[in-house]
């Protein structure tokens, strides 16, 4: 429980308009895209690193949890106040402070929406590639904390490849600057990389220096249609083997096609699978690469390769692609959404394995995602109200993770561990590495006040069981 | 019509993905979760579960919405947000016993018996309250009034209301002419009290299109403003009165030049009166004949071919999609075709032509600051297009756009499509 003294102090630090304790506001900051609710005791909207620093110092002294929050679109519960405490929303910190075309860098505050940042840099002919499907509403801070990635990762990498330096408030309240503003730098430990993907457990990002690229001259968007899902998976490996690196290589299976077409109505074909492929670069390269892609798709059983003719067709295809995750609820009221990654060459095996798991457990498993980098979003669809189906779904998760590890993969490519994957951490990491990570956490946050209850499974069995319950 | 309690399943369809944050005009300005649909739906759900009551804060968040429907249109799960928000407003207003804009004046304004009278009084009084503004049409309030606020450009009340113009009165019982499709014109409050010229321009276009027009007497407000303030009862009374006023005549179509009224007559009427088995067929007959003026001209009267190919002048126009026309009635092309083929201006699109102007859902009354800041984004886009004229198809949007353009110092004029034909 926050004392009145703490509440008054919070108001004093951020201003009365920027601190709320009303049940209504707390409810609105109690959830993220995992759709589970945990009430905080306060939500504050600071404007500066200094304000955040004061709050964290007080949290150490008084012993209350602090939870950083961007847009609350996380898929692993990272911003949920599972142990109560104060939510720090970055919604007021949304300035793009600087764009430097000479050095190809930009400085942004954490609450900037990724899409809006991209629009700003593109005006100057520059390019910030990380593109999670939530890019129109998730924030740079949230993207950094989860090391978000998207379709372009296959060619351009993920958020961590674009973070040069950070201003971070440490859990103990010190404000530090990490990293460099230069192309290289090896002075001291690389705390920047440690912060990226740390899920808001090691510090609160208050400014980010981001790397930019020149905007590619042109892009070609294609849709290849396959009567057999396995053939589509083979085409993915084929394209990579032919040494073409598309800027997008997305696989969408029939369940996803059906759901998203119902929503977006952009004329997706009723096929077993489609690949959404983009190649970018100079006009010459794009022409050449798209020919190779077409040939390989046809050679692997594609019945048709469509090319988007204008901006609207491109926009429609992307609107559809980005809406898949949420539109899947049209077939079943609940789903367990995993974003496993396997080595690219293992994709056909993974697809076959998923189909088997679905058959064995009598479940609908929808798959889509970044086939180009081996990151497939596996959606196990079920109905919470059907106890048998719920149980099968939970067991299917373990099957899917087992298969992933067997194929040399990892449990999460971009959504993070948070609370949803904490119970499974040991399937991938050894006791010794989990321990090393815990010691890092303790070194940064000796009192354990910053985003507690995340990543590391609780020793407590009851808690672990509760966490296992799919959201 | 579904009650809030019937909408539990609809509420549960929201998976809290946050997509609504990217399209909500209120969220873009206010920047906090309760203003986006995801937050509001959470609050409504908690209210229904009894976790929160009809508190000030709850009501405040309910009101901070223009009911523009962008969240519904972009929701990957097609949650019918607008239906839920309207039901929650009705629930709150019913339980509290007053509409959401809880001032006595406002309640009186919603009542159709008092509205014409109050406005007439106001016409006489406005000379005392307002001073002339040289900018565009309208008056700048001289004093700070509680619901008006100083510095706000308000349109003057018409010297003579549209329904009282002699040429309109002449059509109130009997149409003129003997040939062509018969059209019943529904004026609506915006045209009647504030912009009779849009009404007269509509009548002229209809004449040019070779139709016979009647403007049935006894028509009243369409009920949309009352409905969106949660006053379902008044809205239903108004719907009934309109139904009767139009049933007294025979015609092929009902048309209106107000996007909001059009949406009200086409869609809200069905909701308000359609449940009543005695009225069902009558309502259906009425609603199925309603066409927006642009829709009527393009789809029913072949106006593009009859009057097409106007010679183009120098002026550049940009088109603003009223939420109640584009999103609510699916009419985005018809007005653009008319501008392109039948007017002397050159159409140039602005950025986000379909984003809300900020007026709707009663927001300009309940929270003018928020409302006009939404308009500011619109005004920036208008400026960016370089247009001399903003064309639209809704008197409500016209009022708001004029106010915003004036306030933020952008010189573009505002016109209704029919005024260009
Ligand atoms: C429809 C949909 C599609 C998605 N698609 C993708 C996808 O393709 N790829 C992908 O990677 N993810 C995807 N996601 C997941 C999610 O959008 C990302 O994880 C995103 O990065 C979260 O950003 P956010 O601003 O919403 O952060 P939040 O959800 O608010 O927070 C996420 C984590 O970041 C921490 N955090 C937030 N701000 C800060 C800060 N300033 N400093 C320190 N920690 C902070 C929080 O504590 C939390 O642990 C998707 C989500 C949805 C709903």
């Amino acid at each position: 429980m926050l004392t009145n003294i703490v509440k008054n102090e919070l108001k004093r630090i951020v201003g009365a308009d920027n601190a709320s304790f009303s049940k209504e506001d707390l409810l609105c900051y109690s959830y993220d895209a995992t759709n589970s609710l945990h009430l905080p005791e306060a939500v504050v909207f600071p404007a500066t690193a200094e304000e955040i620093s004061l709050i964290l110092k007080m949290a150490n002294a008084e012993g209350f949890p602090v939870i950083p929050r961007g847009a609350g679109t996380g898929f692993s519960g990272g911003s949920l106040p599972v142990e109560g405490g104060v939510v720090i929303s970055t919604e007021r910190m949304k300035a793009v402070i600087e764009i430097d075309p000479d050095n190809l860098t930009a400085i942004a505050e954490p609450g900037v929406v990724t899409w809006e940042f991209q629009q700003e840099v593109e005006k100057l002919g520059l390019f910030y590639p990380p593109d999670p499907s939530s890019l129109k509403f998730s924030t740079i801070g949230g993207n950094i904390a989860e090391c978000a990635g998207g379709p372009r990762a296959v060619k351009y990498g993920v958020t961590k490849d674009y973070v040069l330096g950070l201003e971070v408030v440490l859990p103990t309240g010190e404000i530090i600057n990490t990293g460099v503003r230069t192309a290289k730098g090896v002075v001291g430990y690389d705390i920047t990389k440690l912060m990226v993907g740390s899920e808001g457990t090691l510090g609160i990002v208050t400014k980010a220096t981001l790397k930019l690229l020149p905007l590619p001259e042109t892009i070609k968007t294609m849709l290849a249609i396959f009567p057999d899902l396995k053939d589509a998976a083979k085409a993915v490996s084929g394209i990579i083997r032919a040494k073409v690196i598309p800027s997008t290589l997305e696989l969408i299976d029939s369940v996803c096609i059906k759901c998203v077409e119902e929503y977006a109505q952009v004329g997706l074909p009723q096929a077993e699978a489609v690949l959404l492929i983009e190649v970018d670069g100079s006009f010459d390269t794009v022409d050449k690469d798209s020919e190779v892609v077409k040939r390989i798709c046809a050679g692997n059983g594609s019945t048709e390769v469509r090319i988007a003719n204008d901006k609207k067709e491109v926009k429609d295809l992307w609107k559809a692609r980005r809406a898949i995750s949420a539109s899947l609820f049209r077939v079943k009221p609940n789903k367990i959404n995993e974003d496993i990654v396997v080595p690219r060459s293992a994709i056909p095996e993974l697809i076959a394995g998923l189909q088997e798991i679905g058959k064995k457990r009598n479940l609908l498993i929808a798959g889509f995602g970044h086939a180009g980098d081996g990151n497939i979003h596996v959606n196990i669809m079920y109905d919470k109200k059907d106890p048998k189906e719920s149980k099968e779904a939970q067991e299917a998760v373990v099957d899917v993770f087992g298969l992933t590890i067997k194929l040399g993969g990892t449990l999460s490519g971009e959504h993070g561990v948070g609370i949803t994957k904490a119970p499974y951490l040991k399937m991938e990491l050894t006791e010794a590495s989990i321990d090393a990570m815990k010691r890092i956490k303790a070194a940064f946050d000796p009192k354990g006040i910053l985003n507690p209850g995340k990543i590391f499974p609780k020793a407590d069995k009851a808690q672990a069981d509760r966490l296992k319950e799919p959201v | 019509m579904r009650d809030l309690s019937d909408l539990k399943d609809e509420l549960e369809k929201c998976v809290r993905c946050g997509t609504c944050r990217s399209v909500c005009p209120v969220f873009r300005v206010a920047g906090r979760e309760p203003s986006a649909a995801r937050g509001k739906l959470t609050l409504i759900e908690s209210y229904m579960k009894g976790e929160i009551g009809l508190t000030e804060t709850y009501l405040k968040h309910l009101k901070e919405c223009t009911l523009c429907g962008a969240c519904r249109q972009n929701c990957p799960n097609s949650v019918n947000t607008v239906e839920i928000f309207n039901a929650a407003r009705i629930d709150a207003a019913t339980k509290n016993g007053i509409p959401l804009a809880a001032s006595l004046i406002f309640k009186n304004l919603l009542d159709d018996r008092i509205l014409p009278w109050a406005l007439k009084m106001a016409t006489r009084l406005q000379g005392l309250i307002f001073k002339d503004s040289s900018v565009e049409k309208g008056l700048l309030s001289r004093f700070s009034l509680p619901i008006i606020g100083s510095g706000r450009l308000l349109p003057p009340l018409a010297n003579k209301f549209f329904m009282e113009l002699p040429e309109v009165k002449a059509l109130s019982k009997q149409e003129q002419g003997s040939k062509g499709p018969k059209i019943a014109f529904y004026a609506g409050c915006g045209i009647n009290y504030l912009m009779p010229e849009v009404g007269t321009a509509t009548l002229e276009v209809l004449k040019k299109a070779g139709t016979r027009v009647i403007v049935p007497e006894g028509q009243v407000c369409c009920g949309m403003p009352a409905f969106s303030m949660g006053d379902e009862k008044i809205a239903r009374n108004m719907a009934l009165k309109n139904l009767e006023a139009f049933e007294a005549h025979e015609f092929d179509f009902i048309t209106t030049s107000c996007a909001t009224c059009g949406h009200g007559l086409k869609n809200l009427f069905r909701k308000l009166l359609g449940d009543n088995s005695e009225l069902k067929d009558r309502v259906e007959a009425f609603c199925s004949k309603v066409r927006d003026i642009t829709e009527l001209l393009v789809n029913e009267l072949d106006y593009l071919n009859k009057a097409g190919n106007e010679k183009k002048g120098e002026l550049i126009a940009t088109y603003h999609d009223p939420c109640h026309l584009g999103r609510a009635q699916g009419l985005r092309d018809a007005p653009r075709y008319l501008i392109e083929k039948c007017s002397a201006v050159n159409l140039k699109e602005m950025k986000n032509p379909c984003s809300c102007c900020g007026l709707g859902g009663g927001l300009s009354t309940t929270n003018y600051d928020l409302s006009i800041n939404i308009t500011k984004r619109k005004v920036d886009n208008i400026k960016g297009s370089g247009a001399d004229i903003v064309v639209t198809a809704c008197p409500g949007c016209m009022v708001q756009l004029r106010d915003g353009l004036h306030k933020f110092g952008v010189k573009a004029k505002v016109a209704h499509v029919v005024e260009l034909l």
Side-chain angles (χ1 to χ4, degrees), chain A residues 17-18 23-25 27-29 31-33 35 37 45 71-73 91-92 136-137 263 319 326-327 329-330, chain B residues 14-19 21-22 31-34 38-39 42-43 46 51-52 55 61 74-78:
Chain A
D17 286 348
N18 299 312
K23 180 86 182 273
E24 292 81 358
D25 287 338
L27 277 164
C28 290
Y29 289 88
Y31 50 76
D32 70 358
N35 202 7
L37 276 69
F45 307 88
T73 71
E91 279 165 321
R92 277 176 76 217
K136 288 205 172 160
F137 40 100
Y263 159 66
K319 183 175 180 197
S327 68
F329 289 100
R330 287 164 191 263
Chain B
C14 171
V15 296
R16 300 197 169 81
C17 68
T19 304
R21 286 173 62 110
S22 64
R32 291 189 188 174
E33 186 73 21
R38 185 173 64 160
T42 304
L43 289 177
S46 306
E51 292 166 3
I52 51 173
T55 58
H61 293 321
N74 288 281
C75 174
N77 277 318
S78 304

Side-chain angles (χ1 to χ4, degrees), chain B residues 15-173:
Chain B
V15 296
R16 300 197 169 81
C17 68
T19 304
C20 45
R21 286 173 62 110
S22 64
V23 295
C24 173
V26 179
F27 177 76
R28 271 187 216 145
V29 171
R32 291 189 188 174
E33 186 73 21
S35 47
R38 185 173 64 160
K40 288 192 168 51
L41 295 175
T42 304
L43 289 177
I44 295 170
E45 210 177 345
S46 306
Y47 163 72
M48 286 172 70
K49 286 187 189 150
E51 292 166 3
I52 51 173
L54 276 181
T55 58
E56 281 287 310
T57 321
Y58 172 73
L59 293 175
K60 172 174 172 280
H61 293 321
L62 268 196
K63 283 188 272 189
E64 280 180 7
C65 170
T66 64
L67 299 174
C68 75
C71 49
R72 176 176 57 188
Q73 194 185 19
N74 288 281
C75 174
N77 277 318
S78 304
V79 178
N80 195 340
T81 51
V82 179
E83 185 178 9
I84 296 172
F85 297 155
N86 272 322
R89 285 172 175 221
I90 289 170
D91 169 86
T94 315
K95 291 199 179 126
N96 269 344
I98 37 170
L100 292 194
S103 84
L104 210 61
I105 308 174
F106 201 80
K107 176 147 176 75
N108 288 340
L109 280 178
L110 291 175
D111 194 320
D112 67 295
R113 280 157 310 169
I114 301 180
L115 183 65
W117 172 82
L119 288 176
K120 244 178 246 166
M121 283 300 289
T123 327
R124 280 185 216 134
L125 291 174
Q126 67 181 351
L128 301 174
I129 303 173
F130 301 108
K131 69 170 184 216
D132 278 315
S133 159
S134 53
V135 192
E136 257 264 31
K137 273 186 181 167
L139 290 166
L140 208 66
S141 66
R142 187 188 268 167
F143 308 110
S144 175
L145 293 177
I147 51 164
I148 293 174
S150 67
R152 178 168 179 189
L153 188 74
L154 285 161
L157 288 164
N159 281 331
K160 192 136 201 164
F161 298 153
F162 177 77
M163 293 300 286
E164 288 173 9
L165 294 173
E167 66 266 37
V168 175
K169 281 200 138 162
L171 301 174
S172 68
K173 291 200 176 66

Side-chain angles (χ1 to χ4, degrees), chain A residues 139-398:
Chain A
T139 65
I140 291 284
N143 287 181
I144 291 174
E146 299 288 4
C147 187
R152 288 184 195 135
V154 58
K155 178 165 181 179
Y156 292 104
V158 294
T159 302
K160 72 174 168 206
D161 301 305
Y162 295 87
V163 183
L164 293 172
L166 296 170
E167 179 188 83
V168 186
V169 186
L170 297 179
T172 38
E174 300 87 350
I175 302 173
I176 63 165
N177 283 288
T178 75
V180 291
R181 299 201 50 183
T182 50
K184 307 170 166 183
V186 290
V187 178
Y189 291 147
D190 191 345
I191 296 184
T192 314
K193 284 264 150 61
L194 182 60
M195 286 291 163
V196 179
S198 66
E199 306 189 20
T201 63
L202 297 181
I204 301 186
V205 174
T206 47
K207 254 182 222 149
T209 305
L210 302 167
K211 182 171 97 173
L212 306 174
L213 298 178
L215 195 63
E217 204 173 280
T218 184
I219 302 178
K220 197 173 258 185
T221 309
M222 293 168 274
L223 194 72
I225 297 151
F226 291 87
D228 188 335
L229 181 58
K230 288 190 210 98
D231 284 345
K234 276 186 216 141
V236 170
S237 315
I239 292 169
I240 305 285
R241 215 175 307 122
K243 304 204 168 51
V244 170
I245 307 273
S247 52
T248 288
L249 186 40
E250 295 284 298
L251 177 80
I252 308 172
D253 80 0
S254 59
V255 181
C256 301
I257 297 175
K258 189 175 156 289
C259 288
V260 81
E261 178 58 23
E262 230 179 81
Y263 159 66
Q265 292 166 11
V266 296
L268 290 181
Q270 258 323 315
E272 274 308 297
V274 297
L275 290 178
L276 174 65
I277 309 167
E278 274 188 347
V279 287
D280 70 357
S282 69
F283 285 97
D284 280 355
T285 333
V286 165
D287 278 346
K288 232 174 53 213
D289 286 356
S290 58
E291 280 310 311
V292 177
V293 167
K294 267 205 286 201
R295 209 182 55 231
I296 292 173
C297 288
N300 279 288
S302 164
T303 46
E304 188 190 346
V305 180
R306 293 185 195 165
I307 294 184
N309 287 316
D310 54 34
K311 271 198 183 142
K312 178 162 184 302
E313 284 185 25
V314 174
K315 205 172 141 193
D316 281 351
L317 283 174
W318 278 107
K319 183 175 180 197
R321 164 62 190 86
R322 291 191 180 121
I324 293 175
S325 179
S327 68
L328 276 174
F329 289 100
R330 287 164 191 263
V331 289
K332 286 271 173 179
N334 306 90
K335 69 174 183 177
I336 305 176
N337 166 8
E338 301 297 351
D339 71 316
I340 51 152
V341 198
V342 296
R344 296 195 263 239
S345 57
I347 295 230
E349 250 177 290
L350 175 74
I351 298 289
L354 290 176
Q355 287 182 337
E356 234 165 76
I357 296 171
K359 220 180 274 157
K360 181 177 93 187
R361 303 214 170 261
N362 199 14
L363 289 167
L364 191 63
I365 301 186
F368 68 94
H370 324 312
D373 52 31
N375 187 189
I376 300 286
H377 295 282
V378 177
N379 287 265
I380 304 168
M381 309 305 300
Y382 72 105
D383 185 345
K384 194 161 68 180
K385 294 189 191 105
D386 177 342
K388 181 160 178 296
E389 208 170 64
S390 290
K391 191 164 154 283
E392 291 290 334
Q394 283 167 61
E395 280 165 13
V397 177
V398 182

Side-chain angles (χ1 to χ4, degrees), chain A residues 5-25:
Chain A
I5 301 178
V6 169
K7 288 184 183 172
N8 285 333
E9 191 56 18
L10 286 172
K11 274 196 261 185
R12 200 190 57 77
I13 295 171
V14 293
D17 286 348
N18 299 312
S20 180
F21 313 95
S22 79
K23 180 86 182 273
E24 292 81 358
D25 287 338

